[in-house]
Amino acid sequence: MKSAVKQKAEQKKSSAKKATPKSVTLLVATKKGGFILTSDPKRREWTTKGPLYLGNIVHHMMLDPRDGKTMLMAAKTGHLGPTVFRSTNQGKTWNEAAKPPAFAKAAEGEQGRTVDHVFWLTPGHASEPKVWYAGTSPQGLFRSEDGGDTWESVTGFNDHPMRPAWTGGGQDGTPDGPKMHSILIDPRDANHMYIGMSGGGVFESTDKGADWRPLNAGCKVDFNPDPYPEFGQDPHCVRLHPQAPDILYQQNHCGIYRIDRTAAGAENQWVRIGEKMPKSVGDIGFPMVLHPRDPNTCWVFPMDGTQVWPRTAPGGKPAAYVTRNGGKSWQRQDNGLPKQQAWMTVFRQAMTADAHNPVGLYFGTTCGEIWASTNEGEKWTCIVRHLPHVYAVEAVEF
Amino acid sequence: MKVIIPSPLLSYTRQQKEVDATGATVADVLDDLNRSFPGIRFRMIDEQDAIRPHMKIFVNGEQVFELNTALTSADEIHILQALSGG
């Protein structure tokens, strides 16, 4: 099967169209609002629109690739409740969702859950044009069937009898709350989904969210008494390859992993591929970015995960790392990036790729910079400075 | 009755700092506000019908903590929201 994957990758590489390049649009979510950056077709000049909803904490912005028009923005302020803003004209105008994601009202005498913020937005399967999914903090899964205007609880997860155990308590989450993220839809089957939870691990459903099962075998929890529990892992970012959907990668709290769901006898087994990273850098980080056509190529952006976890570029020297062979080896990519005293962090949704050939890569930093590469990470250029703390960057083409 | 709106919610009331609403309880008034200004209630009140942690509701100058607090048409409601943070 591996040879089939290689064959497919080579086929896709060679067939990558060299049509007139389109401009790229970056949807940038920040701690203080949303921004939309648009390039020229050569991806050299960029214009910035925004801020959108200045003062709102925006965790994610996403375009619906099925209609090319609908955008959703996950937002809240420091004290107001969470919501979703919607645009149906590529971000020109925005309105609030009529019914944002919210947990069900608890029965009298029972402790109810409340959504603190919407953290992740995923358009649904191509066969379900107006379906979207949202992941929240605390971990909850919500589904919209009207383009993000009204949201319903996915009870198969939110009311699953194992959910309290799977998600752990508040102590298992990030400092600003445990999060559901990386909602992945198998492009071959709308019923087949994955989710990632910090904490909790990776879970899979084959019935459109009606039931779930852990998918964490092989994924180490090096701080746990049992280093290989069934669940309780902390995947920071999970990606499914759109053209080879049996290949998934994850940047985990405890390393970089890959799984091949077609590998006989190992279809449920994650394999740590970060051990080939330089020891001085390690394989801890937040984002994971896949090449849009080659399932053996992906990028990570390591951070310092030692002792108290500074979560900064290791040694103050930021760099992306790329593998072009499914994790057998990694190459450092820091041309153009600061060589020292740069203590940035790239959050889990804040690094992405476009579909150009060569692929463009983009990442946003906790220091409010957006960096871009038009040659698959060979050289980096800072295209915008002085934005607020960047939470998410998504590349889209209209 | 008169309802005074905090600045973070003025985008819902078309920048009106004072609006009129009716209801026999605080919950009723919030529902009425939400009919006039869709979405405003959920920003203040969570899905368990609890007042969000940094919101305060005063009736005639006295803070209330329960949405079932009874009201009369002569009452004045003042909604406050903390602006702490960074």
Side-chain angles (χ1 to χ4, degrees):
Chain A
M1 188 59 211
K2 287 183 178 175
S3 61
V5 170
K6 280 184 180 174
Q7 194 175 17
K8 190 169 185 177
E10 286 165 6
Q11 187 180 3
K12 294 294 180 184
K13 269 185 167 177
S14 63
S15 63
K17 291 180 180 177
K18 293 192 176 179
T20 305
K22 293 180 179 177
S23 63
V24 172
T25 296
L26 300 180
L27 308 181
V28 179
T30 81
K31 190 178 179 181
K32 300 293 181 182
F35 296 83
I36 298 178
L37 278 54
T38 304
S39 78
D40 65 346
K42 293 185 177 178
R43 301 174 291 178
R44 288 178 182 162
E45 302 296 327
W46 293 82
T47 57
T48 302
K49 174 187 171 185
L52 304 165
Y53 291 101
L54 177 63
N56 278 255
I57 301 165
V58 180
H59 281 100
H60 207 189
M61 292 172 68
M62 183 64 87
L63 173 77
D64 187 339
R66 298 161 297 185
D67 68 7
K69 296 176 182 174
T70 303
M71 285 183 188
L72 299 188
M73 176 192 298
K76 67 168 292 186
T77 69
H79 304 306
L80 295 179
T83 195
V84 170
F85 294 115
R86 305 173 64 234
S87 172
T88 55
N89 52 17
Q90 299 181 337
K92 294 180 180 68
T93 58
W94 294 81
N95 290 294
E96 187 172 2
K99 184 184 175 191
F103 290 111
K105 179 86 184 288
E108 191 71 27
E110 290 186 9
Q111 180 75 30
R113 281 171 285 161
T114 60
V115 172
D116 181 78
H117 58 273
V118 180
F119 185 70
W120 188 278
L121 296 162
T122 291
H125 192 269
S127 66
E128 300 179 316
K130 291 187 178 294
V131 169
W132 283 73
Y133 291 94
T136 62
S137 174
Q139 299 102 321
L141 182 62
F142 297 86
R143 175 180 162 101
S144 170
E145 297 185 349
D146 56 11
D149 193 32
T150 63
W151 296 83
E152 299 295 336
S153 173
V154 177
T155 57
F157 178 81
N158 294 341
D159 297 337
H160 196 289
M162 284 295 293
R163 182 202 52 78
W166 287 343
T167 58
Q171 290 173 315
D172 290 343
T174 69
D176 63 339
K179 300 177 190 308
M180 179 179 288
H181 56 84
S182 303
I183 303 167
L184 308 171
I185 314 296
D186 188 332
R188 302 163 300 188
D189 180 4
N191 293 320
H192 188 204
M193 305 170 60
Y194 300 92
I195 54 174
M197 291 192 291
S198 295
V202 178
F203 288 75
E204 179 181 28
S205 172
T206 52
D207 50 16
K208 203 179 287 188
D211 197 9
W212 295 85
R213 58 179 172 270
L215 181 65
N216 299 300
C219 193
K220 192 174 184 180
V221 186
D222 58 15
F223 51 83
N224 209 47
D226 172 5
Y228 289 101
E230 184 183 15
F231 51 83
Q233 283 79 355
D234 183 1
H236 287 173
C237 185
V238 189
R239 301 290 188 188
L240 173 153
H241 199 279
Q243 296 182 353
D246 290 317
I247 304 292
L248 290 91
Y249 290 85
Q250 66 164 297
Q251 172 64 75
N252 188 284
H253 186 91
C254 300
I256 305 167
Y257 288 84
R258 181 181 192 268
I259 191 170
D260 181 351
R261 306 304 309 281
T262 66
E267 62 271 19
N268 295 319
Q269 189 80 17
W270 291 93
V271 176
R272 189 169 185 175
I273 60 171
E275 290 178 330
K276 295 293 175 61
M277 289 281 288
K279 297 299 179 200
S280 60
V281 174
D283 65 342
I284 307 303
F286 279 127
M288 165 67 72
V289 176
L290 307 191
H291 192 290
R293 294 174 291 277
D294 178 2
N296 287 317
T297 295
C298 62
W299 290 266
V300 294
F301 205 96
M303 67 181 184
D304 187 342
T306 60
Q307 297 190 24
V308 298
W309 276 62
R311 295 177 174 81
T312 56
K317 300 173 182 176
Y321 279 77
V322 63
T323 177
R324 295 192 180 276
N325 51 21
K328 293 186 178 67
S329 62
W330 297 86
Q331 290 80 48
R332 184 177 177 91
Q333 295 184 315
D334 62 1
N335 185 11
L337 294 174
K339 297 302 180 194
Q340 59 181 348
Q341 293 293 348
W343 302 97
M344 60 178 66
T345 301
V346 179
F347 273 22
R348 73 188 79 202
Q349 303 108 307
M351 187 171 181
T352 191
D354 66 27
H356 281 224
N357 186 19
V359 170
L361 295 171
Y362 311 91
F363 68 83
T365 73
T366 48
C367 307
E369 297 168 342
I370 305 292
W371 290 79
S373 169
T374 56
N375 50 16
E376 306 198 355
E378 293 300 318
K379 181 169 174 47
W380 296 97
T381 303
C382 185
I383 58 173
V384 177
R385 296 183 195 276
H386 311 310
L387 295 180
H389 179 148
V390 177
Y391 282 165
V393 180
E394 296 287 350
V396 301
E397 295 175 37
F398 296 122
Chain B
M1 66 193 72
K2 185 164 80 174
V3 181
I4 299 172
I5 304 295
S7 64
L9 291 170
L10 294 181
S11 61
Y12 289 87
T13 61
R14 297 180 286 277
Q15 305 306 316
Q16 298 175 83
K17 295 177 180 174
E18 295 181 9
V19 299
D20 287 320
T22 59
T25 64
V26 171
D28 291 344
V29 167
L30 293 173
D31 288 343
D32 192 43
L33 274 180
N34 204 57
R35 281 188 288 275
S36 302
F37 310 110
I40 194 170
R41 184 183 187 281
F42 190 61
R43 306 305 297 272
M44 299 183 278
I45 310 297
D46 71 26
E47 56 264 61
Q48 305 306 331
D49 285 338
I51 300 169
R52 293 193 184 276
H54 300 279
M55 306 293 305
K56 290 184 178 180
I57 298 175
F58 291 82
V59 176
N60 302 325
E62 294 290 327
Q63 186 175 0
V64 299
F65 300 92
E66 301 296 333
L67 297 188
N68 60 7
T69 301
L71 300 172
T72 69
S73 58
D75 290 335
E76 179 179 294
I77 294 182
H78 195 151
I79 301 171
L80 288 183
Q81 186 226 275
L83 292 172
S84 54

